Amino acid sequence: MAKQHKMGQKAVRSDRKMAKVILSVKNNKGSYSFRETILEEGEAKEFAKKNANS
């Protein structure tokens, strides 16, 4: 119950599938820097579709 109060109802669910997403950003010098984040699987698929042509 304490975990539910601290993190909220959505965070307590254990049936969610997560995906690691690695983003690349080109900086002023012309090289790339990378950042990784973890999203829900459905959100990651939508993000990939939206940014596939970019």
Side-chain angles (χ1 to χ4, degrees):
M1 190 72 161
K3 185 177 183 180
Q4 185 175 13
H5 286 287
K6 183 177 178 183
M7 298 181 187
Q9 181 64 30
K10 190 173 180 181
V12 175
R13 289 184 29 210
S14 63
D15 60 343
R16 297 184 307 167
K17 291 187 178 181
M18 305 302 281
K20 184 185 290 187
V21 178
I22 300 173
L23 306 171
S24 63
V25 179
K26 192 171 186 177
N27 60 19
N28 297 339
K29 297 178 184 177
S31 61
Y32 289 90
S33 61
F34 298 94
R35 181 181 66 134
E36 65 181 42
T37 186
I38 297 177
L39 300 174
E40 287 191 41
E41 187 176 7
E43 292 176 12
K45 287 179 182 178
E46 289 175 20
F47 179 81
K49 285 180 184 177
K50 188 167 75 170
N51 295 314
N53 298 330
S54 300

